[in-house]
Structure formats: C-alpha cells, structure tokens
Amino acid sequence: DAKTTQPTSMDCAEGRAANLPCNHSTISGNEYVYWYRQIHSQGPQYIIHGLKNNETNEMASLIITEDRKSSTLILPHATLRDTAVYYCIVATRGTLYGGATNKLIFGTGTLLAVQP
Amino acid sequence: NAGVTQTPKFQVLKTGQSMTLQCAQDMNHNSMYWYRQDPGMGLRLIYYSASEGTTDKGEVPNGYNVSRLNKREFSLRLESAAPSQTSVYFCASSELRDSNQPQHFGDGTRLSIL
C-alpha cells in the first residue's frame, strides 16, 4: 500500500495562500491522490483528487509533480474557517465480487492553523 | 441535503454490552464504509461494502460485524463492547461505477465504553 508523508503542522496568515506538501514516493501508476480535511469534531470533508494532471475546483488546487512522487494542495486565500487537519491519501483499490472501491488509508495529516 | 446520516451521535456503554451503529445515505451510492478514529490519529477502515449484498474487512475488523441492509443502509455492530473500542466512528459512502469518486462522510458517532 502506498503511504504518504506530511508535515505535522503549518501556519498560514489569513488571506494568504496555504501550500500543503505531501510525499508519496511509492505511489503506483493507477493510484489517485486525494485530499480531505477534518474540522474539529466533524467528519472528513473531500477537497480534491487527481491522477497526474494538476486539478482545480472551487475549494483548492492540486499540483502533482511529473514523477508523481509528491503533491501540493493550495488553498488560494486561506480563511479562519480553513483551520483543520488536512489529509493527503493515496487510495488503495479494493475488489470484491467483481466490484471495485477505494480503500482510503488515512495518516495523521497536517494541522493547518490560519492566523488572523 | 442529508448526505450521510449516522445515529446515534453519542453513546455510553458498559463493557460487555452490545450495540448497533446505524448509517444511511441518500445519494444512491453503491459503496459504503465504516471507520474509527482514536484521539490524535487518522481514520482506520473497519469494514466496507463495495455494493449491496457484499462486505469485506478493512484494517481493524476484529470485534465488529456489519450488515448491508439495503443500498441505503450499512450498520456496524459491537457484540460485546470493550474499552478499547472507545472511539469516534465514521460512516462514508461513494459511487461504485467510477471507483475513483470521493467518499462522503457522516458526522460521526462518539462511543465511550466504561
């Protein structure tokens, strides 16, 4: 199973871009990179995912290096409500009776603290 | 937009008691999952169900059983609760047809076993 490495914690000033790094050097060719976040006492919230191309949605941008061994999640204008633990996950595909599903293996994530 | 609904939100049990945690989703998803989260740790997969009628073990299945009652509902049962099962339990669901679609999580059940 591919594993990820993230810094334990990061700070960011409100209104500035938050850049959260993730290393996944053992990622397989068909495995996607997912980012989730968890605000205190809530369930994880999906942010974005990608395979090898950079991706952008209304929440964030995902930059994946050409060798796919690392990625960066970018929150373009961080707010206080973005304070959360951010998880970088490489999905492990599972199969059962011909069906396919993703088994997400969560690490301990990065605690992003947005400062006023 | 209910999404994934878990009940109860909080529960206290005594060692040896049994309990079923309920989860329902209204997004017509095929796959459903149960995770536990211990303090200061990430989520760990207990069981998952790729589609209605199927279940499979995750990382930490010991002490738990699951039932995929229908497409909407996926329950987690503790037959004889132990203090080590004190945790926050999260249910999630996702599409099957495109298995790279993200999982959507409920808000969790906080379970304490004395």
Side-chain angles (χ1 to χ4, degrees), chain B residues 11 42 87 110 114:
Chain B
Q11 184 71 47
S87 191
R110 285 150 183 80
L114 307 177

Side-chain angles (χ1 to χ4, degrees), chain B residues 80-98:
Chain B
S80 179
S84 61
Q85 294 178 304
T86 293
S87 191
V88 182
Y89 291 85
F90 290 100
C91 177
S93 68
S94 69
E95 274 295 336
L96 171 63
R97 193 163 39 243
D98 179 350

Side-chain angles (χ1 to χ4, degrees), chain B residues 33-49:
Chain B
Y33 313 79
W34 276 106
Y35 294 86
R36 61 176 288 175
Q37 185 174 33
D38 300 319
M41 297 181 67
L43 281 71
R44 291 182 292 170
L45 182 66
I46 304 172
Y47 270 94
Y48 68 101
S49 171

